[in-house]
Amino acid sequence: MHDDGFLRELVAMKDEMGVVSLYVTAGPRVDPGIRPAWEIRLRDELAAMRAQVSAWPERIRRFTVLEHLDALEPEIDRLVDPSEPGIGRALFAPVCSDEIQRTSLQIPFGTCAVLESTAYVRPMLTAMATGAPAGVAVVGRDGVRLVDYRYGKAEEVYRSAYDLDSDDWREMRGPARAGTDQRSSVHRDLFRRRAEENLVRHLYAVAPEITGRVDALRWEDVLLVGDPRLTSALAGALRPLDPVRVDKVVPDGPATDVVSRIVEELVTVRVRRDAALVQRAVDTTLSGGRAVLGAAQTLAVLNEGRVGRLIVDENGHWHGGRGPDGFLYPADQVPQGVVTTDEPDLGERMIERALESRAEVTIVHAHAAGALAPYGGVGALLRW
């Protein structure tokens, strides 16, 4: 399962010789005899890694890593095999171990090959943020359909059935010979009102089921999709839950089709959620509460283990160093007398440190990160 526990397992994967982390966004192979562009990109990344390792002066380390890369070739072939599942695929393999961790999602990862002392997790976190678990309730006159959407995969998890007995209509019409056009119109209005009232009662009856799914499936967002009158009624039944209403009628079909029709709304909801989190961090910091902004302040509280949630702009990049005690510092704010080891990817180190301390990490959509820009694109909510 792709959750914080899974991410903590990845950052716990350490090896002094190095951990090989490979990411690829796969697509179909049009011509069986020609390597697709996405595979060529990964092979180029691996060639660059081999060239870098071949230039190392330490013979034993150089030989060990190159031998490990040779041994990984069958796994790499499998990673780029178009018949394998997943659009985004990743592989993690410590050099001095037989351990290999593979995973895939139905959303892109990008393509890269990285060799560091720990598993490289930022592409995984970024991809997971784009497809965070969401619940989609499709509300219609025949009931409610719930779709669980997470990391590019959509699955129907519940469907309620609502069927107003048509005998009610016949009884309200009465014998055909006794009716007039005016009476028939009145009866139609009465029936329509009764049908609406019964449907609203049905929506209130299924509301506890939806609330239970929100908790059990840990949905970040809940979207109500359908006729505005129906989504409004269900939203009222779900209070104090505050779902997002999408005024769009979606035809019944596979769960993937439902999600494909509301892709833009899902992105909008994520941006809104991320922006609210960023604003909360800014407001809390400026009011003297338990939050900080900026790389230096965030690293200080990460070093102390005080971070409850790390907030990172998805396009942010930071450079710094690691002291002999393991503390992390921005490049231009190393304490006098402290000798540091260069950390060119300080963002990865911040994410790693947060996960190790069991803090949550939010990769913020670029369109929601505006309020973080004056602070270098990073901040944190604190435990204490």
Side-chain angles (χ1 to χ4, degrees):
M1 173 182 255
H2 296 87
D3 56 15
D4 287 349
F6 167 73
L7 293 169
R8 283 194 290 270
E9 286 180 9
L10 286 183
V11 298
M13 188 180 287
K14 302 180 186 297
D15 191 314
E16 289 186 1
M17 285 284 188
V19 178
V20 177
S21 301
L22 305 180
Y23 288 90
V24 66
T25 297
R29 181 174 300 207
V30 179
D31 188 333
I34 301 177
R35 283 182 175 175
W38 51 269
E39 180 180 348
I40 293 172
R41 281 195 293 272
L42 180 63
R43 297 289 182 183
D44 289 346
E45 290 274 333
L46 282 163
M49 178 187 290
R50 286 179 176 276
Q52 183 181 24
V53 172
S54 296
W56 287 351
E58 305 97 329
R59 186 181 66 83
I60 293 178
R61 187 184 179 205
R62 181 177 70 240
F63 175 80
T64 302
V65 173
L66 290 174
E67 186 179 51
H68 181 67
L69 289 173
D70 289 339
L72 281 177
E73 275 302 319
E75 290 293 335
I76 296 170
D77 289 340
R78 182 180 167 193
L79 190 70
V80 297
D81 184 346
S83 66
E84 288 289 312
I87 295 173
R89 305 173 187 178
L91 179 152
F92 308 93
V95 170
C96 297
S97 166
D98 293 331
E99 179 184 5
I100 294 177
Q101 174 76 270
R102 298 170 54 90
T103 190
S104 65
L105 295 176
Q106 288 301 117
I107 46 180
F109 279 153
T111 299
C112 64
V114 177
L115 178 68
E116 294 184 342
S117 60
T118 60
Y120 182 55
V121 300
R122 187 169 179 180
M124 177 71 65
L125 260 168
T126 302
M128 288 171 63
T130 68
V136 181
V138 182
V139 192
R141 296 194 173 276
D142 57 349
V144 179
R145 180 186 183 194
L146 285 185
V147 173
D148 174 73
Y149 173 73
R150 62 187 65 223
Y151 314 130
K153 183 178 179 181
E155 179 184 6
E156 182 175 310
V157 293
Y158 172 77
R159 184 188 287 258
S160 73
Y162 171 72
D163 182 21
L164 184 64
D165 192 344
S166 60
D167 287 343
D168 289 349
W169 169 235
R170 287 194 291 271
E171 289 173 7
M172 292 183 71
R173 287 181 62 188
R177 63 180 182 277
T180 66
D181 288 343
Q182 184 176 3
R183 287 184 60 190
S184 181
S185 176
V186 170
H187 288 153
R188 277 196 298 271
D189 290 343
L190 288 172
F191 178 77
R192 191 176 296 113
R193 253 195 325 271
R194 177 184 290 185
E196 293 284 347
E197 291 168 357
N198 286 345
L199 180 53
V200 169
R201 280 196 289 270
H202 176 77
L203 296 179
Y204 272 81
V206 301
E209 176 70 30
I210 298 173
T211 302
R213 300 278 177 167
V214 173
D215 295 335
L217 296 173
R218 302 181 66 183
W219 287 334
E220 293 274 0
D221 305 299
V222 180
L223 287 74
L224 309 185
V225 182
D227 183 283
R229 291 173 297 178
L230 300 181
T231 57
S232 177
L234 183 55
L238 291 172
R239 289 194 183 100
L241 187 68
D242 186 23
V244 175
R245 292 167 52 196
V246 178
D247 296 337
K248 182 181 290 188
V249 177
V250 177
D252 198 18
T256 51
D257 289 354
V258 171
V259 171
S260 69
R261 291 174 178 270
I262 59 167
V263 169
E264 291 183 5
E265 286 82 1
L266 283 167
V267 173
T268 299
V269 169
R270 181 208 166 182
V271 171
R272 190 184 310 161
R273 169 167 42 83
D274 284 355
L277 177 65
V278 169
Q279 195 59 53
R280 176 185 165 197
V282 171
D283 292 344
T284 303
T285 301
L286 297 181
S287 65
R290 290 185 295 182
V292 295
L293 296 167
Q297 294 82 352
T298 301
L299 286 169
V301 290
L302 275 171
N303 290 332
E304 298 170 356
R306 295 171 54 197
V307 172
R309 181 184 292 271
L310 176 67
I311 305 169
V312 178
D313 180 351
E314 67 178 359
N315 292 331
H317 295 281
W318 303 269
H319 183 276
R322 181 192 298 267
D325 54 4
F327 280 16
L328 300 170
Y329 304 98
D332 57 347
Q333 297 188 41
V334 178
Q336 188 173 3
V338 175
V339 179
T340 62
T341 302
D342 188 48
E343 288 288 359
D345 190 352
L346 199 58
E348 177 72 10
R349 303 286 82 79
M350 285 192 280
I351 290 169
E352 183 181 289
R353 183 64 55 85
L355 290 170
E356 287 175 338
S357 65
R358 305 188 73 82
E360 296 179 89
V361 180
T362 297
I363 304 293
V364 175
H365 194 287
H367 292 167
L372 270 184
Y375 310 99
V378 63
L381 299 174
L382 308 182
R383 295 186 176 113
W384 49 273

